[in-house]
Structure formats: structure tokens, C-alpha cells
Amino acid sequence: MDVNGKLTGTTVMVVDDMEVNRYAMGTVLSRAGHRVVPVATGGEALAELDARLRKGTLPDVALVDVGLPDMSGFDLCRLFKERPHTAGMPVVHFSAAAVAPVNRCQGLDAGSEAYLKVPAEPLEIEAVVRAAVRNARLRADDRALVRRLTLLSETIVTIQAARSLKELADAAAEGVARLTGNPAAVFVLDQDDRLHRGLSRDRIPVALPDESADRTVATLLRRLARGQAGVQLTTVPAQLWPTGFFRPGVDHDARLALAPTQDSRATVCLAAPARGIRRVGLEGEALLAQLAQATALAAEPLLMYQVERHVALTFQHSFLPQPHRLPDLPGLDVAVRYVPASRQTEIGGDFYAALRTDEGVLTAVGDVVGHSLEAATIMVEIRHALRAYAVDENDPAVLAERLDRMLQRYHSDVTATVCLALVTPDTGRVRIANAGHIPPLLIRGDGDADYAKAAGPLLGVGLPHPEPTELFLDPGDRLLMVTDGLIETRGTDLTASMEQLRAAASGSLPGLDALCDTLLACFGHEREDDIAMLALRLG
């Protein structure tokens, strides 16, 4: 558009079978600064559009004579509108002959913008072309805005379903990329100054920015977010923005949308190349600001879960003795493993224990039902209660009943599973009480493996517990106790998973550490629940 508000440089297709008319119309349009594509028939017009479509250079408007030799101008207009790639191209019908009003209405019904009676004054022709192109562009802008609003809504739904800050950042980055048509990056700087980064899928996965780039971004965010209230849009020049977040090895000015969480303890940053943001205009930037605010709101519960999980893991690591801190257990070798769930938003109540008693060694593996900080704290209570009860009681069934009563008294809405095994090293005698847990797996020295026939009700339901199951260990035998987080998979029958565990254990190398490491290698990847594992053998 020039300084006088006229559209110039547009491409106009003129469809008329009369060469003299095409020349006259083309001359008027060329003098007005337009590029002219003259064709004689409807078939030629369709072929020309197909050729230009492959090059991505469709005309901005088509002037179509009503009376073409191979089809009417109205029929040609309908064909334009039926094709997805030409449906938005405005059409203006013209004719030198008198056309009845009903026929003019036919043209409008076919999708044309206007009807022009020729010969016409050049100013009139130019005004009609200008109006048709302007209206088409306004409609295109409206469609683009609706499309971006739909993308924004879809992205917000996705980020609200994120289960971790990494998942949230990836989803938001993908949304920014779809809104702007450019690679994007999203960062969450949490309350502990840790930076969580997500990149859009169109970012080529080579030469990813390293930790120094993340540190640079974290420093920038701390400085930009200082004293910030509400969403802030700012541009960081290429010399200050690390190379490679958007494209490998390429420097970009970065356009950032920063939004603090409500407590201002964390900052969300949406980033894309500034040039790409400029192309989407002010409305696109407004949508980017809305997405930044929605991402900050969605990050808040994940940040809370992150704090909660850190507290829970501190509990678990504080109260579950690590292998090098296990108590001295005469006559018995013990190996333990504890692996937190892969999903960062979930906290388990899994535990293990190995205690010296008057009659031998009491081992236990258990799991408080649920995933929360409460589950972790109740796990600590159960473990401490077991230690206290075992001071003057050795019978596993009696200990299970006492733990059951404790849960009913103080946590009536909570249930737990536990397997208790009292081992007498001198004789190899093992007495097992199982409260709703996976029974211990006995792996004989010759590699044969089978589950102990020990079962009983969950803790916390108040049902009586049966007498302990008894078996004997021979030198070289191993007894394995695990929580279901090791093998439980959604949609898979637990019996089938237990059989897979039995087969893997029977084929493991000798030794307790080899057994534990083999099983974790087979089953322990990306688990949705915590894993506690205890293996023992006679010393």
C-alpha cells in the first residue's frame, strides 16, 4: 500500500476471451502499479492457478468476464471457491453486455466480491480491485486470528495436563512454535534457581545449547524478572542471547514473554526469534502474552509438587538406610535398593527394613497406598513402629497385626502392604507374614525360583492375619522381597509380571548385588511408582 492508501504491487488475473479487452484492462491495471496475468478461458485460468500454486505465487484477485467460451464466469468462480488453496482469492465479475439483476445475484451467490460494468473509468476499476483485495485480506486476517486462538486454546489444555515442569516447558514451546511458525524455547526458573527448559519439536536435535547457555538464560531471567508484575514482553539482542536455542549455530534476536507465578518465586519465559514474532503482529504478541500467563499458572502446582517431592525424598533417604549404612547382621548378607518414581509429580510410600532381633534378623518391604507427602510420612511412621514393636516381639504375624491396629487407630483412611520375614541364620529357618504384598521370591542355588506361599490381608482393614509361612534357606539360596513398583504396569496382569520377574531372577548371576542390578536393568526404567527391593542370603 502506498502513501495515498492505494494497493500497489498486487497481482491481478484478467480472464477474458477478447484480446483487445484483456489488453485494455491490463493497461489500466499496469499503470496503477499492478502485475497483470492475462488468460483467455476458464480452463487456462485453472491451469495458470495450478502452475502458480506450485510456486506459491497465487494472484491477489481475479477479474473474470461473465461470458467465457468454455464456461460461464459464474461457474469459474464456483470452481475457484471449491478449491481450498484458491477459495480465499477474491473474484470480480465484469461484462460489456447488459446483465439482468438476477444474473448479477448469481455471481454474488457464486462467491464474487463485486460486479463491474465495462467500459469503466480507470479510477472505478482501481477502486473495485482495491476494495476486493482489502476485504479478502481482512477475512484472511480474521481466519488467521481464529486459527491462532484455536491453537492457543489447544496449547493451554496440553500444558494444564503436564505432569512435570519439563513436560510443561516442552508443551508450551510447541505451542509458541505453532503460533509463530518459528522454532521456540520455553524456560521455567524455579524458586531454587534451577532452570527447566523445553524446545519445540521443529528444533533440529543437533548441537543443542550446553549448560553455559542455560546459565546465561538463567542470569538474564533473574535480571529481567526483578520487580516484575504481570506479563512482560521484551527483546534481547543476539549478542546477549545464547546461540542455538532456535536453530543450530544461528544467532537470533530473541523476543521474550515473561510471566511470574502468583507468589513471584518462579518465572516462566517464552522465547522465539524476534523476526518471526514481528510477522504475527500485535495480535500474535497478545496471544503470546496470554500463553505465558497460562503457562505460569500451570507451573504453580508443579512447582508445589516439586517442593513436596523434595521433602518426601529427603524423608525417604533420611529414614531408609543406604547399603553402606545397614546395621551389622551376623550370619546374613543383605542388599537393598530404592529407586524413586520417574514421574516427578508422584511420591511413593515404599520402604524396606532390616532389624536385629532376639531370634535373628527381621526384614521387611512395604508400600503405603497412594502417592503424596502424606504417604511418605506414614511410611516413616510404619517403619518406626515396626522398629519399636520388634524390641520385644519377633513373630511376623503378631507384628503385622500390631501395624494393622496402628493404622486403624491413627490413619483410618489409609491402607498399606507389607511383607515381613524373620530369618534365623544358624538354621536357615524363615518365617514369613504377608499383608497384601507380593510374596518373597526364593531363588535356590541351582537357579530354580518360586514364590513363597504366603498371603494375608492389607494393613489397615482390621482383618485377622494367618500364621506365618515357614521355609528354610540353604547356603547359596537367595530370598528377594520387592514392592510392586518394580513390575506393575498399567494394562498388564500382575500375575504375568510376577512370572516375568521370576524368570529374570532365576537367570541372574550369583550374588545379591548382581540379582538386584539385573532386575533393575530389566524392569526399573521409567516406572510410575517407587521401587524398594531387599535381597538376602545366609552369610
Side-chain angles (χ1 to χ4, degrees):
M1 185 174 290
D2 64 15
V3 294
N4 298 314
K6 295 183 178 181
L7 288 166
T8 57
T10 56
T11 300
V12 184
M13 174 181 280
V14 178
V15 189
D16 192 328
D17 61 321
M18 300 294 292
E19 184 176 358
V20 63
N21 292 343
R22 294 197 304 272
Y23 176 79
M25 187 74 75
T27 300
V28 170
L29 294 169
S30 296
R31 287 176 178 172
H34 303 298
R35 292 181 293 272
V36 179
V37 181
V39 293
T41 66
E44 289 182 15
L46 294 172
E48 178 69 23
L49 288 179
D50 287 341
R52 287 179 166 270
L53 181 61
R54 289 191 288 271
K55 299 177 182 178
T57 57
L58 285 175
D60 297 292
V61 61
L63 298 184
V64 180
D65 184 17
V66 170
L68 297 174
D70 56 346
M71 66 182 76
S72 74
F74 305 139
D75 289 337
L76 180 59
C77 181
R78 289 192 185 92
L79 290 175
F80 288 164
K81 301 303 178 181
E82 288 172 359
R83 296 181 169 196
H85 295 294
T86 59
M89 183 180 67
V91 176
V92 174
H93 285 120
F94 67 89
S95 176
V99 177
V102 65
N103 289 332
R104 295 186 184 184
C105 294
Q106 184 181 359
L108 295 174
D109 290 339
S112 70
E113 297 286 329
Y115 182 87
L116 187 65
K117 181 70 169 66
V118 294
E121 292 293 328
L123 288 176
E124 182 183 2
I125 295 173
E126 168 64 9
V128 169
V129 169
R130 186 168 62 246
V133 173
R134 182 173 57 247
N135 291 338
R137 289 181 179 176
L138 288 173
R139 287 195 300 272
D141 289 343
D142 289 341
R143 287 194 296 270
L145 179 59
V146 170
R147 184 170 63 253
R148 287 198 291 266
L149 285 170
T150 301
L151 289 175
L152 176 66
S153 299
E154 292 173 350
T155 301
I156 290 175
V157 170
T158 304
I159 63 177
Q160 287 175 339
R163 303 296 300 274
S164 69
L165 290 171
K166 178 67 170 67
E167 192 175 320
L168 172 111
D170 284 338
E174 187 62 23
V176 175
R178 295 176 69 192
L179 282 171
T180 66
N182 286 271
V186 169
F187 307 91
V188 180
L189 186 65
D190 68 19
Q191 61 268 32
D192 297 318
D193 256 4
R194 287 184 298 239
L195 192 71
H196 307 266
R197 180 181 75 188
L199 300 177
S200 56
R201 287 195 293 268
D202 57 356
R203 166 61 169 84
I204 301 172
V206 297
L208 292 172
D210 56 18
E211 291 184 2
S212 65
D214 286 345
R215 287 194 295 270
T216 300
V217 171
T219 301
L220 279 169
L221 295 187
R222 280 193 294 270
R223 188 175 69 204
L224 292 171
R226 190 174 298 124
Q228 177 188 355
V231 179
Q232 174 188 169
L233 291 170
T234 187
T235 299
V236 176
Q239 58 266 33
L240 297 179
W241 185 257
T243 300
F245 275 118
F246 308 128
R247 292 182 177 88
V250 179
D251 291 327
H252 290 89
D253 292 344
R255 187 64 170 164
L256 310 184
L258 294 98
T261 55
Q262 287 185 325
D263 58 8
S264 298
R265 297 178 62 190
T267 300
V268 167
C269 171
L270 278 52
R275 183 180 301 176
I277 297 294
R278 284 195 292 269
R279 282 200 295 267
V280 300
L282 295 177
E283 289 177 340
E285 285 208 338
L287 296 180
L288 196 66
Q290 292 182 45
L291 180 56
Q293 189 170 38
T295 305
L297 289 172
E300 288 178 8
L302 298 179
L303 290 163
M304 180 183 67
Y305 273 120
Q306 186 182 53
V307 173
E308 186 175 276
R309 180 172 175 77
H310 175 71
V311 172
L313 288 177
T314 301
F315 266 125
Q316 289 164 329
H317 284 288
S318 297
F319 291 102
L320 296 180
Q322 300 306 300
H324 64 279
R325 294 173 54 196
L326 283 172
D328 183 29
L329 304 171
L332 208 62
D333 294 333
V334 175
V336 294
R337 298 288 189 276
Y338 179 81
V339 181
S342 301
R343 273 209 307 250
Q344 294 185 5
T345 55
E346 294 199 346
I347 305 162
D350 295 36
F351 68 95
Y352 56 76
L355 309 171
R356 294 178 62 177
T357 71
D358 294 339
E359 292 188 20
V361 177
L362 178 69
T363 61
V365 168
D367 182 10
V368 177
V369 176
H371 298 87
S372 64
L373 182 57
E374 181 186 20
T377 56
I378 293 175
M379 173 274 290
V380 174
E381 287 188 48
I382 290 176
R383 191 171 179 278
H384 280 304
L386 180 61
R387 289 166 62 91
Y389 295 150
V391 169
D392 58 8
E393 179 57 61
N394 296 300
D395 190 314
V398 174
L399 292 171
E401 288 189 354
R402 289 188 179 181
L403 293 174
D404 180 77
R405 291 199 300 273
M406 185 274 287
L407 273 186
Q408 290 181 73
R409 170 77 59 93
Y410 299 110
H411 303 284
S412 58
D413 58 342
V414 174
T415 57
T417 68
V418 68
C419 184
L420 302 166
L422 179 64
V423 184
T424 306
D426 293 343
T427 63
R429 182 189 184 207
V430 183
R431 302 178 68 211
I432 301 167
N434 188 359
H437 203 80
I438 295 176
L441 181 63
L442 177 60
I443 305 116
R444 294 294 184 183
D446 59 5
D448 186 34
D450 205 357
Y451 290 97
K453 293 178 172 54
L458 290 165
L459 298 181
V461 297
L463 295 177
H465 292 266
E467 289 295 315
T469 298
E470 187 173 287
L471 56 83
F472 284 86
L473 293 177
D474 293 326
D477 293 346
R478 293 170 290 177
L479 191 69
L480 175 70
M481 305 166 71
V482 300
T483 55
D484 58 11
L486 177 67
I487 58 172
E488 190 173 43
T489 302
R490 191 173 303 173
T492 302
D493 184 75
L494 183 60
T495 303
S497 298
M498 289 174 62
E499 175 55 27
Q500 293 173 358
L501 174 64
R502 189 198 66 79
S506 64
S508 67
L509 294 172
L512 300 181
D513 288 324
L515 173 63
C516 294
D517 293 341
T518 297
L519 298 181
L520 286 177
C522 290
F523 303 101
H525 300 288
E526 295 300 317
R527 305 306 301 180
E528 296 183 354
D529 199 355
D530 293 357
I531 300 169
M533 180 185 302
L534 185 149
L536 62 87
R537 67 180 176 188
L538 299 178

